[in-house]
Amino acid sequence: MSVYFSIRQIRQANEDAGYHFFEPSTMRFFDSRVASKQVYPKATGGSYFITSERFDWNSPRLYTIRECSENGHISTIGGFQAYSTVEAAEHAAERLAGKNRGPCPECGH
């Protein structure tokens, strides 16, 4: 079972599997950044992490939870740009990983 404990490990797994999620041209195209160096390992393998994206220069930067599966594939969890703050995305990622720390700062749940 592959569990990732750092963004570096996630990047390497994605690249080793032949995917291009973290390539500079891909990140630039989507104006995407790794929003937090925090990684949220899953007990069943793989990990969650958070990115931020901006639609255009006039739009706010919003946050997305990503899941890196054991095979290095990255998918979006809970909707693209679903969170308006990194804190809300971090809280949701913690809950997904089974580490609940209380009510969400954005929605109160």
Side-chain angles (χ1 to χ4, degrees):
M1 172 172 50
S2 295
V3 177
Y4 309 109
F5 297 98
S6 71
I7 295 297
R8 186 179 100 341
Q9 289 176 329
I10 291 172
R11 284 180 191 257
Q12 193 62 56
N14 185 256
E15 183 181 324
D16 289 350
Y19 297 114
H20 307 280
F21 187 89
F22 293 101
E23 285 186 2
S25 60
T26 303
M27 300 290 281
R28 202 170 27 256
F29 180 81
F30 291 102
D31 196 10
S32 183
R33 300 176 186 163
V34 175
S36 169
K37 298 297 180 195
Q38 181 67 41
V39 171
Y40 306 89
K42 295 172 49 183
T44 57
S47 295
Y48 300 110
F49 66 102
I50 299 166
T51 61
S52 68
E53 295 79 23
R54 187 167 53 180
F55 180 70
D56 61 26
W57 294 106
N58 295 320
S59 300
R61 184 161 287 281
L62 300 172
Y63 301 89
T64 305
I65 297 175
R66 307 294 184 161
E67 177 183 12
C68 183
S69 66
E70 291 184 72
N71 69 3
H73 181 264
I74 293 175
S75 55
T76 299
I77 303 297
F80 181 67
Q81 295 186 319
Y83 301 93
S84 60
T85 67
V86 70
E87 292 83 10
E90 287 172 339
H91 184 270
E94 285 179 351
R95 290 184 67 169
L96 285 167
K99 297 169 180 60
N100 190 353
R101 65 175 177 168
C104 173
E106 190 165 287
C107 69
H109 290 100

